Amino acid sequence: MSTAREQPIFSTRAHVFQIDPATKRNWIPAGKHALTVSYFYDATRNVYRIISIGGAKAIINSTVTPNMTFTKTSQKFGQWADSRANTVYGLGFASEQHLTQFAEKFQEVKEAARLAREKSQDGGELTSPALGLTSHQVPPSPLVSANGPGDEKLFRSQSADVPGPAERERLKKMLSEGSVGEVQWEAEFFALQDSNNKLAGALREANAAAAQWRQQLEAQRAEAERLRQRVAELEAQAAAEPPSVSEKEGPGQSLEQLEALVETKDQEIQTLKSQTGGPRDALDATEREETQQKVQDLETRNAELEHQLRATERSLEEARAERERARAEVGRAAQLLDVRLFELSELREGLARLAEGTP
């Protein structure tokens, strides 16, 4: 940048960002500290530029054109796109007032650039439309430097004469470097503010997660209590059943007795059948009818005993299956409760470490 032909019009301090060329969505900060951002007017070429120098290189070197638009995206942040540089610049200001001042000056410079283009196309005399002076004059606009929230330093030219090179270099050095103490305090302030915001956000998230885990723990405790009650009900129901079904030894003895009774009845049936198969002339009609009736009764009783035996076996199997299911449910609930208690303990340890790390 040639300082001999360019004159600063307006200066302020802001955190400079550039759009990520890979994603076109994320912002990349130009540095950790706020930098001086200035509007410059090139009287020779009759153009306006936004320039910010960080260290030994130019972070921003954007020529203002009538097609550019400065957009306020928040109370303290604004951006504009530079098609020539193929990027988007973003500025984060210390206050909304600084953002408003920069935006208003952007509109003024944009209008001046438009008028300058129209004058150039018409072949008229090159002038500074924003300041109403010819290209051989130095714009008498004030030079404003905003160094921080509520702390502004105003530098105004006392005459329309061109300042000497030493004066220009001194002003440039003051604008680019600023006060070392103010820069350090401002950087520390922003760092502490960012750290405080991150810690506050992490604490809110931790509190929300803790509340959610407490709710889940209460729900798991209620579910475990419900399962315990269900197991107690099943045990009480099993204890209230007849000994032939609920006791392990009882059903075995009952089955043996029923089988022995069935065998006995089978033998009686065979005996009666053998008796009925003898000489028919030895029995009269009444005895045959009585014998046949006894056989039918014994067969009916045998069928009932077999049905009772099968029902007893089914009841025993159902009781055993129900007891196994209840035990499995209690085991799963106990395992899930142990997992939840372990996760809750880890969350408490994390909250304790976070609280210890908070300044």
Side-chain angles (χ1 to χ4, degrees), residues 113-159:
R114 184 185 65 81
L115 296 176
R117 176 178 292 183
E118 293 178 354
K119 292 279 187 180
S120 177
Q121 291 176 354
D122 294 340
E125 183 184 9
L126 293 178
T127 61
S128 173
L131 306 175
L133 299 174
T134 63
S135 59
H136 299 288
Q137 293 176 314
V138 177
S141 298
L143 175 61
V144 182
S145 175
N147 295 318
D151 182 16
E152 298 183 355
K153 296 182 179 180
L154 303 180
F155 302 94
R156 299 181 180 274
S157 57
Q158 302 297 328
S159 65

mmCIF file of all heavy atoms in Angstrom, residues 113-159:
data_model
loop_
_atom_site.group_PDB
_atom_site.id
_atom_site.type_symbol
_atom_site.label_atom_id
_atom_site.label_comp_id
_atom_site.label_asym_id
_atom_site.label_seq_id
_atom_site.Cartn_x
_atom_site.Cartn_y
_atom_site.Cartn_z
ATOM 1 N N ALA A 113 -18.004 5.629 -4.293
ATOM 2 C CA ALA A 113 -17.438 4.814 -5.365
ATOM 3 C C ALA A 113 -18.365 4.790 -6.586
ATOM 4 O O ALA A 113 -17.913 4.804 -7.733
ATOM 5 C CB ALA A 113 -17.179 3.396 -4.858
ATOM 6 N N ARG A 114 -19.666 4.755 -6.332
ATOM 7 C CA ARG A 114 -20.620 4.773 -7.455
ATOM 8 C C ARG A 114 -20.537 6.089 -8.222
ATOM 9 O O ARG A 114 -20.505 6.115 -9.467
ATOM 10 C CB ARG A 114 -22.038 4.554 -6.940
ATOM 11 C CG ARG A 114 -23.088 4.450 -8.038
ATOM 12 C CD ARG A 114 -24.475 4.356 -7.439
ATOM 13 N NE ARG A 114 -24.829 5.568 -6.727
ATOM 14 C CZ ARG A 114 -25.287 6.678 -7.319
ATOM 15 N NH1 ARG A 114 -25.417 6.722 -8.655
ATOM 16 N NH2 ARG A 114 -25.591 7.741 -6.609
ATOM 17 N N LEU A 115 -20.508 7.213 -7.495
ATOM 18 C CA LEU A 115 -20.413 8.512 -8.156
ATOM 19 C C LEU A 115 -19.086 8.645 -8.907
ATOM 20 O O LEU A 115 -19.030 9.222 -10.000
ATOM 21 C CB LEU A 115 -20.555 9.628 -7.122
ATOM 22 C CG LEU A 115 -21.917 9.702 -6.415
ATOM 23 C CD1 LEU A 115 -21.910 10.789 -5.347
ATOM 24 C CD2 LEU A 115 -23.037 9.971 -7.431
ATOM 25 N N ALA A 116 -18.015 8.089 -8.298
ATOM 26 C CA ALA A 116 -16.722 8.167 -8.974
ATOM 27 C C ALA A 116 -16.740 7.385 -10.277
ATOM 28 O O ALA A 116 -16.174 7.811 -11.292
ATOM 29 C CB ALA A 116 -15.629 7.655 -8.049
ATOM 30 N N ARG A 117 -17.399 6.250 -10.287
ATOM 31 C CA ARG A 117 -17.491 5.467 -11.513
ATOM 32 C C ARG A 117 -18.298 6.208 -12.574
ATOM 33 O O ARG A 117 -17.939 6.223 -13.755
ATOM 34 C CB ARG A 117 -18.128 4.113 -11.225
ATOM 35 C CG ARG A 117 -18.355 3.265 -12.466
ATOM 36 C CD ARG A 117 -18.952 1.915 -12.142
ATOM 37 N NE ARG A 117 -17.994 1.080 -11.401
ATOM 38 C CZ ARG A 117 -18.244 -0.176 -11.049
ATOM 39 N NH1 ARG A 117 -19.417 -0.727 -11.358
ATOM 40 N NH2 ARG A 117 -17.341 -0.873 -10.397
ATOM 41 N N GLU A 118 -19.386 6.834 -12.159
ATOM 42 C CA GLU A 118 -20.201 7.584 -13.125
ATOM 43 C C GLU A 118 -19.414 8.762 -13.688
ATOM 44 O O GLU A 118 -19.462 9.036 -14.888
ATOM 45 C CB GLU A 118 -21.484 8.062 -12.459
ATOM 46 C CG GLU A 118 -22.432 6.921 -12.079
ATOM 47 C CD GLU A 118 -23.669 7.438 -11.378
ATOM 48 O OE1 GLU A 118 -23.721 8.665 -11.097
ATOM 49 O OE2 GLU A 118 -24.569 6.630 -11.083
ATOM 50 N N LYS A 119 -18.667 9.459 -12.831
ATOM 51 C CA LYS A 119 -17.862 10.584 -13.303
ATOM 52 C C LYS A 119 -16.803 10.114 -14.304
ATOM 53 O O LYS A 119 -16.540 10.769 -15.317
ATOM 54 C CB LYS A 119 -17.181 11.262 -12.119
ATOM 55 C CG LYS A 119 -18.146 11.969 -11.174
ATOM 56 C CD LYS A 119 -18.546 13.323 -11.691
ATOM 57 C CE LYS A 119 -19.368 14.076 -10.654
ATOM 58 N NZ LYS A 119 -19.780 15.406 -11.138
ATOM 59 N N SER A 120 -16.196 8.948 -13.955
ATOM 60 C CA SER A 120 -15.151 8.429 -14.833
ATOM 61 C C SER A 120 -15.719 8.016 -16.190
ATOM 62 O O SER A 120 -15.103 8.240 -17.231
ATOM 63 C CB SER A 120 -14.461 7.244 -14.168
ATOM 64 O OG SER A 120 -13.494 6.682 -15.025
ATOM 65 N N GLN A 121 -16.908 7.436 -16.186
ATOM 66 C CA GLN A 121 -17.518 7.032 -17.448
ATOM 67 C C GLN A 121 -17.936 8.241 -18.283
ATOM 68 O O GLN A 121 -17.907 8.203 -19.507
ATOM 69 C CB GLN A 121 -18.729 6.132 -17.172
ATOM 70 C CG GLN A 121 -18.356 4.761 -16.616
ATOM 71 C CD GLN A 121 -19.571 3.939 -16.258
ATOM 72 O OE1 GLN A 121 -20.696 4.437 -16.318
ATOM 73 N NE2 GLN A 121 -19.337 2.688 -15.879
ATOM 74 N N ASP A 122 -18.340 9.319 -17.608
ATOM 75 C CA ASP A 122 -18.733 10.540 -18.328
ATOM 76 C C ASP A 122 -17.535 11.330 -18.809
ATOM 77 O O ASP A 122 -17.679 12.317 -19.545
ATOM 78 C CB ASP A 122 -19.595 11.420 -17.424
ATOM 79 C CG ASP A 122 -20.930 10.741 -17.121
ATOM 80 O OD1 ASP A 122 -21.307 9.835 -17.881
ATOM 81 O OD2 ASP A 122 -21.573 11.115 -16.123
ATOM 82 N N GLY A 123 -16.315 10.990 -18.383
ATOM 83 C CA GLY A 123 -15.111 11.690 -18.805
ATOM 84 C C GLY A 123 -14.894 12.991 -18.085
ATOM 85 O O GLY A 123 -14.153 13.853 -18.519
ATOM 86 N N GLY A 124 -15.567 13.190 -16.956
ATOM 87 C CA GLY A 124 -15.425 14.442 -16.224
ATOM 88 C C GLY A 124 -14.185 14.432 -15.366
ATOM 89 O O GLY A 124 -13.380 13.495 -15.352
ATOM 90 N N GLU A 125 -14.022 15.462 -14.581
ATOM 91 C CA GLU A 125 -12.857 15.610 -13.725
ATOM 92 C C GLU A 125 -12.943 14.611 -12.589
ATOM 93 O O GLU A 125 -14.001 14.419 -11.999
ATOM 94 C CB GLU A 125 -12.801 17.037 -13.155
ATOM 95 C CG GLU A 125 -11.549 17.273 -12.291
ATOM 96 C CD GLU A 125 -11.570 18.647 -11.676
ATOM 97 O OE1 GLU A 125 -12.611 19.319 -11.785
ATOM 98 O OE2 GLU A 125 -10.556 19.038 -11.094
ATOM 99 N N LEU A 126 -11.844 13.950 -12.311
ATOM 100 C CA LEU A 126 -11.815 13.002 -11.217
ATOM 101 C C LEU A 126 -11.902 13.757 -9.910
ATOM 102 O O LEU A 126 -11.060 14.591 -9.598
ATOM 103 C CB LEU A 126 -10.521 12.175 -11.262
ATOM 104 C CG LEU A 126 -10.390 11.217 -12.450
ATOM 105 C CD1 LEU A 126 -9.040 10.521 -12.382
ATOM 106 C CD2 LEU A 126 -11.524 10.222 -12.450
ATOM 107 N N THR A 127 -12.893 13.451 -9.135
ATOM 108 C CA THR A 127 -13.088 14.091 -7.829
ATOM 109 C C THR A 127 -13.372 13.025 -6.796
ATOM 110 O O THR A 127 -13.625 11.872 -7.108
ATOM 111 C CB THR A 127 -14.259 15.098 -7.866
ATOM 112 O OG1 THR A 127 -15.454 14.375 -8.203
ATOM 113 C CG2 THR A 127 -14.013 16.179 -8.887
ATOM 114 N N SER A 128 -13.374 13.429 -5.578
ATOM 115 C CA SER A 128 -13.749 12.536 -4.476
ATOM 116 C C SER A 128 -15.198 12.805 -4.149
ATOM 117 O O SER A 128 -15.507 13.790 -3.474
ATOM 118 C CB SER A 128 -12.860 12.802 -3.259
ATOM 119 O OG SER A 128 -13.324 12.063 -2.160
ATOM 120 N N PRO A 129 -16.141 12.015 -4.646
ATOM 121 C CA PRO A 129 -17.551 12.312 -4.429
ATOM 122 C C PRO A 129 -17.920 12.318 -2.969
ATOM 123 O O PRO A 129 -18.817 13.043 -2.560
ATOM 124 C CB PRO A 129 -18.258 11.170 -5.177
ATOM 125 C CG PRO A 129 -17.235 10.633 -6.130
ATOM 126 C CD PRO A 129 -15.930 10.832 -5.463
ATOM 127 N N ALA A 130 -17.258 11.502 -2.180
ATOM 128 C CA ALA A 130 -17.644 11.457 -0.774
ATOM 129 C C ALA A 130 -17.239 12.719 -0.045
ATOM 130 O O ALA A 130 -17.869 13.126 0.924
ATOM 131 C CB ALA A 130 -17.011 10.250 -0.091
ATOM 132 N N LEU A 131 -16.138 13.368 -0.523
ATOM 133 C CA LEU A 131 -15.635 14.537 0.188
ATOM 134 C C LEU A 131 -15.775 15.822 -0.612
ATOM 135 O O LEU A 131 -15.536 16.909 -0.092
ATOM 136 C CB LEU A 131 -14.160 14.327 0.566
ATOM 137 C CG LEU A 131 -13.875 13.036 1.354
ATOM 138 C CD1 LEU A 131 -12.383 12.879 1.549
ATOM 139 C CD2 LEU A 131 -14.596 13.085 2.675
ATOM 140 N N GLY A 132 -16.122 15.726 -1.876
ATOM 141 C CA GLY A 132 -16.325 16.916 -2.706
ATOM 142 C C GLY A 132 -15.058 17.639 -3.037
ATOM 143 O O GLY A 132 -15.064 18.860 -3.195
ATOM 144 N N LEU A 133 -13.882 16.935 -3.171
ATOM 145 C CA LEU A 133 -12.608 17.574 -3.464
ATOM 146 C C LEU A 133 -12.014 16.945 -4.698
ATOM 147 O O LEU A 133 -12.307 15.809 -5.049
ATOM 148 C CB LEU A 133 -11.644 17.412 -2.289
ATOM 149 C CG LEU A 133 -12.099 18.026 -0.949
ATOM 150 C CD1 LEU A 133 -11.102 17.660 0.130
ATOM 151 C CD2 LEU A 133 -12.266 19.523 -1.072
ATOM 152 N N THR A 134 -11.124 17.684 -5.363
ATOM 153 C CA THR A 134 -10.426 17.138 -6.525
ATOM 154 C C THR A 134 -9.377 16.158 -6.054
ATOM 155 O O THR A 134 -9.041 16.090 -4.875
ATOM 156 C CB THR A 134 -9.756 18.268 -7.330
ATOM 157 O OG1 THR A 134 -8.775 18.883 -6.498
ATOM 158 C CG2 THR A 134 -10.786 19.284 -7.772
ATOM 159 N N SER A 135 -8.814 15.426 -7.036
ATOM 160 C CA SER A 135 -7.842 14.401 -6.682
ATOM 161 C C SER A 135 -6.541 14.987 -6.187
ATOM 162 O O SER A 135 -5.730 14.280 -5.625
ATOM 163 C CB SER A 135 -7.560 13.508 -7.899
ATOM 164 O OG SER A 135 -7.060 14.320 -8.966
ATOM 165 N N HIS A 136 -6.300 16.280 -6.369
ATOM 166 C CA HIS A 136 -5.058 16.890 -5.892
ATOM 167 C C HIS A 136 -5.185 17.378 -4.469
ATOM 168 O O HIS A 136 -4.236 17.934 -3.939
ATOM 169 C CB HIS A 136 -4.671 18.070 -6.803
ATOM 170 C CG HIS A 136 -4.441 17.619 -8.226
ATOM 171 N ND1 HIS A 136 -3.334 16.872 -8.612
ATOM 172 C CD2 HIS A 136 -5.197 17.808 -9.341
ATOM 173 C CE1 HIS A 136 -3.391 16.641 -9.913
ATOM 174 N NE2 HIS A 136 -4.521 17.196 -10.379
ATOM 175 N N GLN A 137 -6.390 17.257 -3.870
ATOM 176 C CA GLN A 137 -6.592 17.721 -2.507
ATOM 177 C C GLN A 137 -6.706 16.525 -1.591
ATOM 178 O O GLN A 137 -7.123 15.439 -1.988
ATOM 179 C CB GLN A 137 -7.867 18.566 -2.394
ATOM 180 C CG GLN A 137 -7.774 19.907 -3.148
ATOM 181 C CD GLN A 137 -9.085 20.648 -3.079
ATOM 182 O OE1 GLN A 137 -10.130 20.088 -3.292
ATOM 183 N NE2 GLN A 137 -9.017 21.916 -2.763
ATOM 184 N N VAL A 138 -6.393 16.759 -0.330
ATOM 185 C CA VAL A 138 -6.493 15.716 0.671
ATOM 186 C C VAL A 138 -7.856 15.823 1.339
ATOM 187 O O VAL A 138 -8.255 16.908 1.741
ATOM 188 C CB VAL A 138 -5.381 15.872 1.733
ATOM 189 C CG1 VAL A 138 -5.542 14.824 2.817
ATOM 190 C CG2 VAL A 138 -4.027 15.774 1.063
ATOM 191 N N PRO A 139 -8.606 14.751 1.447
ATOM 192 C CA PRO A 139 -9.929 14.818 2.064
ATOM 193 C C PRO A 139 -9.821 15.267 3.495
ATOM 194 O O PRO A 139 -9.029 14.734 4.278
ATOM 195 C CB PRO A 139 -10.433 13.373 1.984
ATOM 196 C CG PRO A 139 -9.597 12.730 0.917
ATOM 197 C CD PRO A 139 -8.288 13.425 0.968
ATOM 198 N N PRO A 140 -10.608 16.284 3.881
ATOM 199 C CA PRO A 140 -10.532 16.809 5.245
ATOM 200 C C PRO A 140 -11.414 16.058 6.217
ATOM 201 O O PRO A 140 -11.739 16.583 7.265
ATOM 202 C CB PRO A 140 -11.019 18.249 5.076
ATOM 203 C CG PRO A 140 -12.002 18.169 3.953
ATOM 204 C CD PRO A 140 -11.478 17.122 3.023
ATOM 205 N N SER A 141 -11.885 14.821 5.864
ATOM 206 C CA SER A 141 -12.776 14.102 6.768
ATOM 207 C C SER A 141 -12.022 13.705 8.017
ATOM 208 O O SER A 141 -10.823 13.471 7.982
ATOM 209 C CB SER A 141 -13.340 12.846 6.076
ATOM 210 O OG SER A 141 -14.094 13.240 4.951
ATOM 211 N N PRO A 142 -12.710 13.577 9.138
ATOM 212 C CA PRO A 142 -12.047 13.204 10.390
ATOM 213 C C PRO A 142 -11.590 11.764 10.351
ATOM 214 O O PRO A 142 -12.210 10.927 9.731
ATOM 215 C CB PRO A 142 -13.127 13.411 11.453
ATOM 216 C CG PRO A 142 -14.409 13.249 10.706
ATOM 217 C CD PRO A 142 -14.155 13.812 9.338
ATOM 218 N N LEU A 143 -10.528 11.498 11.055
ATOM 219 C CA LEU A 143 -9.995 10.146 11.208
ATOM 220 C C LEU A 143 -10.416 9.647 12.578
ATOM 221 O O LEU A 143 -10.025 10.192 13.597
ATOM 222 C CB LEU A 143 -8.463 10.180 11.099
ATOM 223 C CG LEU A 143 -7.738 8.848 11.369
ATOM 224 C CD1 LEU A 143 -8.186 7.806 10.373
ATOM 225 C CD2 LEU A 143 -6.244 9.064 11.341
ATOM 226 N N VAL A 144 -11.252 8.607 12.591
ATOM 227 C CA VAL A 144 -11.815 8.112 13.832
ATOM 228 C C VAL A 144 -11.176 6.790 14.150
ATOM 229 O O VAL A 144 -11.115 5.920 13.294
ATOM 230 C CB VAL A 144 -13.355 7.955 13.716
ATOM 231 C CG1 VAL A 144 -13.935 7.483 15.041
ATOM 232 C CG2 VAL A 144 -13.966 9.277 13.282
ATOM 233 N N SER A 145 -10.700 6.607 15.369
ATOM 234 C CA SER A 145 -10.107 5.334 15.801
ATOM 235 C C SER A 145 -10.836 4.876 17.040
ATOM 236 O O SER A 145 -10.761 5.531 18.075
ATOM 237 C CB SER A 145 -8.619 5.506 16.095
ATOM 238 O OG SER A 145 -8.087 4.326 16.619
ATOM 239 N N ALA A 146 -11.543 3.790 16.932
ATOM 240 C CA ALA A 146 -12.265 3.223 18.071
ATOM 241 C C ALA A 146 -11.428 2.100 18.644
ATOM 242 O O ALA A 146 -11.269 1.079 18.013
ATOM 243 C CB ALA A 146 -13.635 2.691 17.631
ATOM 244 N N ASN A 147 -10.856 2.307 19.854
ATOM 245 C CA ASN A 147 -9.920 1.349 20.420
ATOM 246 C C ASN A 147 -10.576 0.386 21.387
ATOM 247 O O ASN A 147 -9.936 -0.527 21.858
ATOM 248 C CB ASN A 147 -8.790 2.082 21.151
ATOM 249 C CG ASN A 147 -7.952 2.888 20.186
ATOM 250 O OD1 ASN A 147 -7.656 2.401 19.104
ATOM 251 N ND2 ASN A 147 -7.574 4.093 20.571
ATOM 252 N N GLY A 148 -11.814 0.547 21.713
ATOM 253 C CA GLY A 148 -12.452 -0.365 22.664
ATOM 254 C C GLY A 148 -13.810 0.152 23.034
ATOM 255 O O GLY A 148 -14.209 1.251 22.659
ATOM 256 N N PRO A 149 -14.573 -0.653 23.801
ATOM 257 C CA PRO A 149 -15.907 -0.245 24.197
ATOM 258 C C PRO A 149 -15.886 1.005 25.037
ATOM 259 O O PRO A 149 -15.286 1.055 26.109
ATOM 260 C CB PRO A 149 -16.403 -1.459 24.993
ATOM 261 C CG PRO A 149 -15.502 -2.582 24.588
ATOM 262 C CD PRO A 149 -14.209 -1.962 24.250
ATOM 263 N N GLY A 150 -16.558 2.053 24.572
ATOM 264 C CA GLY A 150 -16.675 3.296 25.320
ATOM 265 C C GLY A 150 -15.416 4.116 25.365
ATOM 266 O O GLY A 150 -15.351 5.135 26.050
ATOM 267 N N ASP A 151 -14.341 3.710 24.669
ATOM 268 C CA ASP A 151 -13.069 4.441 24.702
ATOM 269 C C ASP A 151 -12.675 4.762 23.280
ATOM 270 O O ASP A 151 -12.075 3.952 22.602
ATOM 271 C CB ASP A 151 -11.999 3.596 25.391
ATOM 272 C CG ASP A 151 -10.688 4.343 25.490
ATOM 273 O OD1 ASP A 151 -10.702 5.563 25.320
ATOM 274 O OD2 ASP A 151 -9.657 3.687 25.750
ATOM 275 N N GLU A 152 -13.036 5.937 22.808
ATOM 276 C CA GLU A 152 -12.753 6.341 21.436
ATOM 277 C C GLU A 152 -11.785 7.516 21.436
ATOM 278 O O GLU A 152 -11.864 8.421 22.262
ATOM 279 C CB GLU A 152 -14.040 6.737 20.722
ATOM 280 C CG GLU A 152 -15.051 5.599 20.614
ATOM 281 C CD GLU A 152 -16.271 6.049 19.843
ATOM 282 O OE1 GLU A 152 -16.316 7.258 19.519
ATOM 283 O OE2 GLU A 152 -17.155 5.223 19.590
ATOM 284 N N LYS A 153 -10.864 7.501 20.475
ATOM 285 C CA LYS A 153 -9.909 8.587 20.287
ATOM 286 C C LYS A 153 -10.146 9.192 18.922
ATOM 287 O O LYS A 153 -10.164 8.487 17.921
ATOM 288 C CB LYS A 153 -8.478 8.061 20.390
ATOM 289 C CG LYS A 153 -8.151 7.509 21.768
ATOM 290 C CD LYS A 153 -6.714 7.051 21.828
ATOM 291 C CE LYS A 153 -6.384 6.515 23.207
ATOM 292 N NZ LYS A 153 -5.004 6.063 23.309
ATOM 293 N N LEU A 154 -10.342 10.499 18.871
ATOM 294 C CA LEU A 154 -10.639 11.200 17.626
ATOM 295 C C LEU A 154 -9.406 11.968 17.175
ATOM 296 O O LEU A 154 -8.789 12.703 17.954
ATOM 297 C CB LEU A 154 -11.803 12.175 17.830
ATOM 298 C CG LEU A 154 -13.108 11.540 18.358
ATOM 299 C CD1 LEU A 154 -14.173 12.606 18.512
ATOM 300 C CD2 LEU A 154 -13.580 10.449 17.417
ATOM 301 N N PHE A 155 -9.053 11.761 15.913
ATOM 302 C CA PHE A 155 -7.943 12.474 15.297
ATOM 303 C C PHE A 155 -8.509 13.266 14.124
ATOM 304 O O PHE A 155 -9.026 12.669 13.177
ATOM 305 C CB PHE A 155 -6.866 11.495 14.813
ATOM 306 C CG PHE A 155 -6.313 10.623 15.907
ATOM 307 C CD1 PHE A 155 -6.856 9.364 16.127
ATOM 308 C CD2 PHE A 155 -5.285 11.062 16.715
ATOM 309 C CE1 PHE A 155 -6.363 8.560 17.112
ATOM 310 C CE2 PHE A 155 -4.784 10.242 17.695
ATOM 311 C CZ PHE A 155 -5.315 9.007 17.905
ATOM 312 N N ARG A 156 -8.430 14.573 14.162
ATOM 313 C CA ARG A 156 -8.981 15.414 13.113
ATOM 314 C C ARG A 156 -7.862 16.256 12.503
ATOM 315 O O ARG A 156 -7.043 16.837 13.210
ATOM 316 C CB ARG A 156 -10.081 16.345 13.649
ATOM 317 C CG ARG A 156 -11.283 15.591 14.237
ATOM 318 C CD ARG A 156 -12.344 16.566 14.734
ATOM 319 N NE ARG A 156 -13.476 15.862 15.281
ATOM 320 C CZ ARG A 156 -14.506 15.423 14.575
ATOM 321 N NH1 ARG A 156 -14.531 15.637 13.267
ATOM 322 N NH2 ARG A 156 -15.506 14.785 15.144
ATOM 323 N N SER A 157 -7.857 16.324 11.194
ATOM 324 C CA SER A 157 -6.863 17.159 10.508
ATOM 325 C C SER A 157 -7.229 18.623 10.695
ATOM 326 O O SER A 157 -8.384 19.002 10.622
ATOM 327 C CB SER A 157 -6.830 16.809 9.010
ATOM 328 O OG SER A 157 -8.103 16.963 8.442
ATOM 329 N N GLN A 158 -6.258 19.458 10.966
ATOM 330 C CA GLN A 158 -6.488 20.867 11.239
ATOM 331 C C GLN A 158 -6.498 21.704 9.977
ATOM 332 O O GLN A 158 -6.908 22.863 10.001
ATOM 333 C CB GLN A 158 -5.392 21.383 12.179
ATOM 334 C CG GLN A 158 -5.330 20.607 13.501
ATOM 335 C CD GLN A 158 -6.602 20.754 14.286
ATOM 336 O OE1 GLN A 158 -7.249 21.801 14.213
ATOM 337 N NE2 GLN A 158 -6.980 19.711 15.023
ATOM 338 N N SER A 159 -6.028 21.172 8.839
ATOM 339 C CA SER A 159 -6.029 21.950 7.603
ATOM 340 C C SER A 159 -6.181 21.001 6.438
ATOM 341 O O SER A 159 -6.178 19.791 6.589
ATOM 342 C CB SER A 159 -4.720 22.756 7.479
ATOM 343 O OG SER A 159 -3.630 21.873 7.351
#
